[in-house]
Amino acid sequence: MTPKQPPKRRRLPPTERRDEILQKALNLFAEHGFESSTRELARQLGITQPLLYRYFPSKDDLIREAYRAVYLDRWNIEWDRLLCDRNVPLEERLKSFYASYTKAIFTREWMRIYLFAGLKGADINRWYIGLLEERILQRIVKEYRHLAGLDDQTKPSFEEIELAWALHSGIFYLGVREHIFSLPPSEDRDRTISAVVGVFHNGIQTYFAKAAVPKPT
C-alpha cells in the first residue's frame, strides 16, 4: 500500500497568502504570546522560514502588522465624531461610544493579544495606549472640563487622565472576565456600561465642580 500523500497546499495570490499567514500568526499570538522565534513561528504556522521572511522580513514586522490588524483596522472613525458632538448630552455620548467600542474589541483574539503584549512590554501596547489617551481619554476629560465651564484647551493633567482611565478600565474588565478569566459575561452588557458611565458621570462632575470654585486669596 502506497503511503498517503499529504494534501497539496493551494496556490494563493501573494495578497491572500500574506493575509493567511497574518491571521494564523494572530491566532498563535492570542494563544501563546510573542515568545516564539521566527523559525518556531514558521513551524507552528505550517510554512517555511523563507516563505515567512518573504512576506514579513522580521518578527517585528509581523508584530507591527498584528498591531495594525487587531487595533488600527478596528478603529471606527465615527468614535472621534461621537465623543466630540456637543449636540448630544455627554453622558449619552459615552454610553453610545462604549457600547460600540466594546463590540469591536471584546473578542478572545483582541483581549489576549493586548494582555500578552502588555506582559512582554511590547511596543504595540505602548502605541495603543498612546492612541487611547489621545483619542479617547483626553477627549473625555476635555468634554467634562467644558461642561464645568473650565478651560477645555489645556492638556489634561495626570490626575485627570487617571480618572478617565478608571472609567475605561472598569469597562475593559468586562471583556477580561469573559475572554481571560472565562467567567460568564454580563447578562446585559449595554445596561452594565450604562450604569458604570452613569456613576462616573456623576462623580467626575463633582470633581470638576470643586476645581471650578475660585480658591480664596
Side-chain angles (χ1 to χ4, degrees):
M1 181 182 294
T2 57
K4 187 176 180 181
Q5 295 296 317
K8 289 185 177 181
R9 178 184 292 273
R10 184 168 65 92
R11 293 186 64 85
L12 294 174
T15 302
E16 289 185 32
R17 175 66 71 202
R18 186 178 190 277
D19 289 345
E20 180 188 59
I21 292 171
L22 177 60
Q23 186 55 56
K24 287 183 177 179
L26 291 176
N27 295 338
L28 186 64
F29 290 152
E31 293 305 317
H32 304 292
F34 300 89
E35 299 305 319
S36 300
S37 66
T38 52
R39 183 185 298 278
E40 181 63 16
L41 271 173
R43 187 190 69 77
Q44 292 176 330
L45 294 173
I47 60 176
T48 64
Q49 194 174 17
L51 180 60
L52 178 61
Y53 283 142
R54 182 185 305 173
Y55 293 100
F56 302 99
S58 71
K59 184 177 174 181
D60 285 343
D61 289 317
L62 183 55
I63 290 175
R64 276 192 289 270
E65 277 302 294
Y67 169 75
R68 179 194 60 75
V70 174
Y71 300 124
L72 298 186
D73 286 358
R74 296 189 190 191
W75 189 271
N76 186 342
I77 60 173
E78 282 299 304
W79 296 337
D80 300 279
R81 180 199 60 77
L82 174 61
L83 286 171
C84 299
D85 185 2
R86 291 176 179 170
N87 292 314
V88 178
L90 181 50
E91 184 178 5
E92 294 306 312
R93 278 184 261 162
L94 291 182
K95 290 176 182 179
S96 296
F97 165 72
Y98 277 110
S100 176
Y101 180 73
T102 54
K103 285 182 176 66
I105 74 164
F106 279 12
T107 67
R108 179 178 173 82
E109 177 185 88
W110 196 103
M111 301 296 293
R112 289 178 64 85
I113 286 177
Y114 181 84
L115 292 177
F116 270 129
L119 291 171
K120 181 178 171 55
D123 284 340
I124 61 175
N125 267 57
R126 288 189 285 273
W127 295 332
Y128 192 68
I129 286 172
L131 180 71
L132 285 180
E133 291 202 351
E134 177 184 352
R135 298 178 73 171
I136 299 177
L137 306 184
Q138 289 190 29
R139 284 174 172 168
I140 289 174
V141 170
K142 289 180 178 181
E143 290 304 301
Y144 277 107
R145 290 184 65 85
H146 174 80
L147 202 61
L150 297 168
D151 175 18
D152 61 2
Q153 299 303 310
T154 303
K155 184 177 179 180
S157 68
F158 176 83
E159 183 175 78
E160 290 169 341
I161 290 295
E162 287 301 294
L163 291 173
W165 267 120
L167 167 67
H168 192 86
S169 301
I171 292 173
F172 183 78
Y173 171 74
L174 299 176
V176 171
R177 61 170 285 125
E178 179 180 353
H179 296 290
I180 305 302
F181 299 152
S182 299
L183 296 173
S186 173
E187 292 181 358
D188 186 336
R189 184 195 298 164
D190 288 351
R191 181 179 176 182
T192 303
I193 288 172
S194 179
V196 172
V197 169
V199 171
F200 174 82
H201 181 72
N202 292 329
I204 200 166
Q205 284 191 96
T206 300
Y207 172 86
F208 280 119
K210 291 179 180 178
V213 175
K215 291 181 173 57
T217 56

